[in-house]
Amino acid sequence: MKNNITIQLDNELLDHLASAVKEAVKEEIPKMKDSFQKEWLTTEDVMEMLSCSRRTVQNYRDEGKIPFTQEGRKILYPRNGIEQFLSDNMIKAYR
C-alpha cells in the first residue's frame, strides 16, 4: 500500500524556500572548492595560475623561484609553494 502526500505551497512560501536554498548553496560552494583543490599541480595548472607561458614556468623552476618535484619527465608543483610564490611577489598598494 502506497501513501501519497501532497503539499500545496503558495508563491510567497515557495519564494522564501527558494531563497533559503540559494543562500545555503552560496555558503557551501567556497567550502567545496577548497576540498576539491589539488595538492599537486601540473605545469599547465601553474601556467594558468600565474598567467604565464610554459617557458616562464621553466625559468622560475631553473632559477629556484618555485618549488617542484620530478620523477622522470613528470614535474609537479606543490599548490602551497605556488601560492607562496604569488604572495611573496605581491606588490603592496601605495595608498
Side-chain angles (χ1 to χ4, degrees), residues 46 50 56-58 60-61 63-68 77 81-82 85:
V46 175
L50 301 179
T56 299
V57 173
Q58 183 177 346
Y60 289 162
R61 205 174 54 232
E63 295 166 2
K65 292 183 176 182
I66 57 174
F68 68 96
Y77 308 83
I82 302 304
F85 172 77

Side-chain angles (χ1 to χ4, degrees), residues 28-83:
E28 290 301 315
I29 285 178
K31 296 175 191 173
M32 290 170 53
K33 283 182 181 177
D34 290 341
S35 66
F36 288 127
Q37 285 187 340
K38 298 187 288 186
E39 184 177 347
W40 291 93
L41 306 172
T42 64
T43 299
E44 288 75 17
D45 295 331
V46 175
M47 289 167 50
E48 186 176 330
M49 277 183 77
L50 301 179
S51 298
C52 66
S53 69
R54 180 178 299 278
R55 182 67 186 145
T56 299
V57 173
Q58 183 177 346
N59 285 341
Y60 289 162
R61 205 174 54 232
D62 294 345
E63 295 166 2
K65 292 183 176 182
I66 57 174
F68 68 96
T69 187
Q70 183 171 6
E71 174 62 36
R73 295 184 57 152
K74 184 70 172 178
I75 299 172
L76 295 173
Y77 308 83
R79 175 177 291 280
N80 60 356
I82 302 304
E83 289 171 347

Side-chain angles (χ1 to χ4, degrees), residues 7 17 23 36 48 86:
I7 300 174
L17 183 61
E23 191 62 34
F36 288 127
E48 186 176 330
L86 286 170

